[in-house]
Amino acid sequence: MSGNPFHSRSAAFRDSGCTPRRVGYVSDVSRLEHIPIDERRRLEAVTERFNFRASEYYLGLIDWSDPDDPIRTLVVPREAELSEVGSLDASNEASNTVIPGVQHKYADTALVLCVEACGGYCRYCFRKRIFMRDSHEATRDFGPALTYIADRSEITDVLLTGGDPLLLSTPRLARLLRSLRDIPHVRTVRIGTKMLAFNPYRLLDDLDLQELLVEQSGSGGRVYLMCHFDHPRELTEPATEAVDLAVRLGVICANQCPIIAGVNDDANVLRELLETTASAGCPQYYFFQCRPTRGNETFSVPLVRGWELFSEARRGVSGLARRARFCMSHETGKIEVVGVDDNNIYLRYHRAKDPSDHDRFMVYKRDDTAVWLDELTPVS
Ligand code: SF4
């Protein structure tokens, strides 16, 4: 590790006596002073159902003079979330849960839900059920998860998720990463995180975390940070610095986000996101269709519209920024939208839960209002 040029830089930083910045969190809407008090009271009914949380740093990105500010839409509750439309588990993740905190949908990949909190709560979250009071979906004891993975040599890739794994303490994350590294067939570990958007100082100011990433991401195995930037305005100077730092630590970064009404359902915004993430060092990997999760109807963009935005956003950007796919995380697999014409929607399994669906191409009748596969009619 000492041969790594970053390591000596971080050691010098540590020796300089710099102290980490403390970023506060707000989890009570009554503290959002920019919102009129009667509105705050109404929003408390929303947060009784779906928790609210945001860092002071992230709240500072909001233009409060704009009621439709995309950062505000992303993180501040709205009454429309009280809609009863949708399921709390829209992709039927329960059917992939093999032991508490472990999902195993595709043979080569295991998901470990290792924490039940995020650095903020995206209002459109597809997994908001795990932030609800009586949820115990994430595991606090990693032992059974590690045994499950160690016993299955077909698992070559582990996705740490939740919640946000970067909310684990660094020593706890270190124990988990090192244990995974000890499993010979695990070749890549992905950390799904929005912390570089919600609080980039989590990485910038934690030298132990930086050294852990150096240690864990190298020729013996690779750590990927699956970043979650939804809007180019989230790529602030500290966020961009955090991505750059992660890259220099040896981590591979990629970005994934859903297309969300009021946040990024604009081709120019998506194009800017493609270009900004690519130049920052975490090129876009997926755009997702917003899942029909309870409370998410207000954030939903029809599939055809999503395709049009995705297609338009890619016009004129470099090949590097065009590698992203537009997918639906359906209970049967990750289904890519590959095209739309006047009559039909063309889909293909990018990842299939049932191996017989591998790469299967599907044609459905075009429906400009449908938001999910189950609402479409197949072309026979
Ligand atoms: S970062 Fe991901 S898991 Fe966390 S609230 Fe947002 S969408 Fe949900």
Side-chain angles (χ1 to χ4, degrees), residues 118-324:
C118 276
Y121 292 136
C122 310
R123 305 317 303 172
Y124 56 76
C125 179
F126 70 93
R127 218 177 258 156
K128 56 180 71 169
R129 66 184 186 278
I130 78 163
F131 310 131
M132 296 169 95
R133 282 187 199 98
D134 53 354
S135 168
H136 303 288
E137 265 191 67
T139 181
R140 290 185 177 81
D141 175 7
F142 299 138
L146 291 163
T147 302
Y148 180 89
I149 294 164
D151 286 346
R152 287 163 181 80
S153 59
E154 69 273 22
I155 297 176
T156 55
D157 174 50
V158 174
L159 173 60
L160 302 182
T161 181
D164 196 316
L166 291 189
L167 282 200
L168 293 173
S169 70
T170 300
R172 199 159 150 70
L173 181 64
R175 284 196 293 278
L176 181 55
L177 289 176
R178 286 172 186 148
S179 300
L180 288 169
R181 175 58 71 87
D182 286 342
I183 301 173
H185 50 266
V186 174
R187 310 196 53 185
T188 51
V189 176
R190 290 183 280 160
I191 300 174
T193 182
K194 193 169 168 64
M195 282 305 274
L196 303 196
F198 280 145
N199 176 9
Y201 301 107
R202 171 68 183 94
L203 177 62
L204 289 174
D205 286 2
D206 186 335
L207 297 176
D208 292 331
L209 174 59
Q210 295 167 20
E211 289 179 359
L212 174 66
L213 294 175
V214 171
E215 172 198 297
Q216 290 295 312
S217 197
S219 54
R222 193 60 68 177
V223 171
Y224 284 68
L225 277 190
M226 309 311 297
C227 301
H228 178 174
F229 293 104
D230 295 271
H231 192 282
R233 269 182 40 210
E234 294 179 318
L235 284 132
T236 59
E237 200 175 315
T240 306
E241 194 185 330
V243 173
D244 180 56
L245 176 57
V247 170
R248 286 188 295 123
L249 294 171
V251 170
I252 310 247
C253 295
N255 193 54
Q256 52 188 31
C257 67
I259 297 178
I260 297 295
V263 174
N264 58 16
D265 59 333
D266 178 308
N268 291 327
V269 168
L270 294 182
R271 184 180 304 115
E272 177 70 16
L273 187 64
L274 284 170
E275 291 177 337
T276 309
T277 52
S279 68
C282 68
Q284 193 80 18
Y285 178 48
Y286 287 121
F287 284 114
F288 288 115
Q289 176 66 5
C290 179
R291 301 184 209 197
T293 306
R294 177 105 34 96
N296 281 7
E297 191 181 21
T298 184
F299 300 109
S300 195
V301 176
L303 265 173
V304 169
R305 180 67 185 141
W307 164 259
E308 289 170 348
L309 292 168
F310 171 72
S311 176
E312 183 61 27
R314 296 193 313 155
R315 197 186 290 272
V317 300
S318 75
L320 187 67
R322 291 168 62 96
R323 292 180 298 173

Side-chain angles (χ1 to χ4, degrees), residues 332 349 352-361:
T332 60
Y349 275 101
K353 181 172 179 175
D354 178 345
S356 68
D357 281 335
H358 172 73
D359 268 352
R360 187 157 72 84
F361 192 80

